[in-house]
Amino acid sequence: MVIGIISLSCKKFLCNIRPLSVGERATAERVDVMLIASNYSVNLSDLALGSDLPPSPFSLAQKIVIAFFASVLSVLTVVGNSMVMISFKIDKQLQTISNYFLFSLAVADFAVGLISMPLYTMFTIYGYWPLGPHICDTWLALDYLASNASVLNLLIISFDRYFSVTRPLTYRAKRTTRRATVMIGGAWGFSLILWPPWIYAWPYIDGERKVPERECYIQFIETNQFITFGTAIAAFYVPVTVMCFLYYKIWRETKKRQKDLPNLQGGKKHDSSKRSNSR
């Protein structure tokens, strides 16, 4: 009897089952899609909440102050160097050999103000790097390229002034636009060889990227002390030492000429008095 009742109940249940219509099937599919999207958004929110972002070392007020002053410096750098480049291009009288070096220096400083300073300010305020490894390497490559080119352009200017003061006759004859262009190209070429290729290639040389995801620095600075030491000497210490030496020599030459100037003026007065007496 019990088996009969169960059999009858199952038959009634099976009889009530019917295939879904087109509208009901579409409604069910929409519900399934909504459930999948809801689960996906929940998973993303869980990942976001669970991500271990380092805290910023600055308070809100400090962030505002840093952002304000950094923005002012960046804008002044970009606008000032833009005015130098525009003036050089517009006014033909400014296109002298010395100003070619200043134009190259303005280009390097313009890149620093436009690219390097804003991204470094963001990195400082956040306390971590939020833009990923590819933009990190590109920023580092442009930053070190422009900064090193700026230092080398200053070095070229110091050489130009040194030879102009110490060898005014012979150097002026050799001081051509072509030679100035070659010197400027050498400064940019050396900077291009020294930094960007190694910044991009070093993770492959090491076999892996050892810079953490939320950090941004040159990998070989942390993993190879010899290369760090060599690039620091070639990019900064040698140019600065040579510049200091050249400007010291320029100062010595200028002081020497200032001491010789009264004697030269006295000799000219003596010769003029002799001529007047002979007449």
Side-chain angles (χ1 to χ4, degrees):
M1 175 121 182
V2 174
I3 297 175
I5 293 173
I6 294 174
S7 175
L8 182 61
S9 301
C10 291
K11 289 180 181 179
K12 289 182 178 180
F13 178 74
L14 292 173
C15 290
N16 291 330
I17 297 176
R18 60 180 178 82
L20 295 175
S21 64
V22 176
E24 291 174 340
R25 189 181 299 113
T27 303
E29 290 177 354
R30 285 198 296 269
V31 171
D32 291 339
V33 171
M34 292 176 63
L35 289 174
I36 293 172
S38 176
N39 292 332
Y40 182 71
S41 62
V42 169
N43 291 333
L44 287 180
S45 62
D46 291 339
L47 289 174
L49 291 174
S51 59
D52 188 14
L53 295 178
S56 176
F58 304 103
S59 63
L60 179 60
Q62 291 174 330
K63 290 179 182 178
I64 294 174
V65 172
I66 293 172
F68 173 76
F69 283 104
S71 300
V72 170
L73 291 176
S74 179
V75 170
L76 290 177
T77 303
V78 171
V79 173
N81 288 285
S82 298
M83 294 175 64
V84 171
M85 293 186 289
I86 292 172
S87 301
F88 179 83
K89 285 294 185 180
I90 292 177
D91 194 348
K92 299 295 182 181
Q93 295 181 353
L94 295 177
Q95 296 180 7
T96 61
I97 303 299
S98 299
N99 289 339
Y100 271 96
F101 300 135
L102 294 177
F103 177 81
S104 178
L105 178 63
V107 172
D109 292 341
F110 174 83
V112 171
L114 183 66
I115 300 172
S116 301
M117 296 174 66
L119 290 178
Y120 184 74
T121 302
M122 179 202 66
F123 187 21
T124 303
I125 292 176
Y126 278 22
Y128 63 92
W129 181 259
L131 300 180
H134 299 294
I135 298 180
C136 168
D137 291 343
T138 303
W139 170 60
L140 290 173
L142 294 175
D143 181 25
Y144 279 81
L145 169 64
S147 300
N148 198 81
S150 179
V151 172
L152 293 182
N153 278 292
L154 289 173
L155 180 62
I156 292 173
I157 292 172
S158 64
F159 269 110
D160 179 67
R161 292 176 178 176
Y162 171 75
F163 289 122
S164 296
V165 171
T166 58
R167 304 173 186 177
L169 299 178
T170 58
Y171 179 67
R172 293 285 177 178
K174 300 177 181 179
R175 194 168 175 257
T176 61
T177 303
R178 181 179 179 182
R179 181 164 293 189
T181 305
V182 170
M183 295 172 67
I184 293 171
W188 284 94
F190 179 77
S191 303
L192 185 63
I193 294 172
L194 185 63
W195 291 108
W198 307 107
I199 291 174
Y200 283 111
W202 204 259
Y204 300 97
I205 295 174
D206 276 348
E208 62 177 334
R209 184 177 181 84
K210 298 180 180 178
V211 180
E213 184 180 357
R214 298 296 179 178
E215 294 291 332
C216 184
Y217 55 82
I218 300 176
Q219 182 164 319
F220 63 76
I221 289 181
E222 295 292 331
T223 60
N224 195 307
Q225 297 179 353
F226 295 103
I227 295 181
T228 303
F229 184 71
T231 52
I233 290 177
F236 181 75
Y237 290 105
V238 170
V240 170
T241 303
V242 174
M243 277 191 284
C244 292
F245 176 75
L246 291 176
Y247 280 112
Y248 171 73
K249 297 290 287 185
I250 293 171
W251 176 77
R252 286 285 302 272
E253 186 67 22
T254 305
K255 296 294 288 184
K256 180 181 177 181
R257 293 186 181 183
Q258 288 178 352
K259 292 180 181 178
D260 294 339
L261 185 60
N263 297 329
L264 295 174
Q265 291 177 347
K268 289 181 180 180
K269 290 180 180 178
H270 185 66
D271 292 339
S272 61
S273 62
K274 282 185 177 180
R275 291 173 184 175
S276 60
N277 291 332
S278 62
R279 291 177 184 176

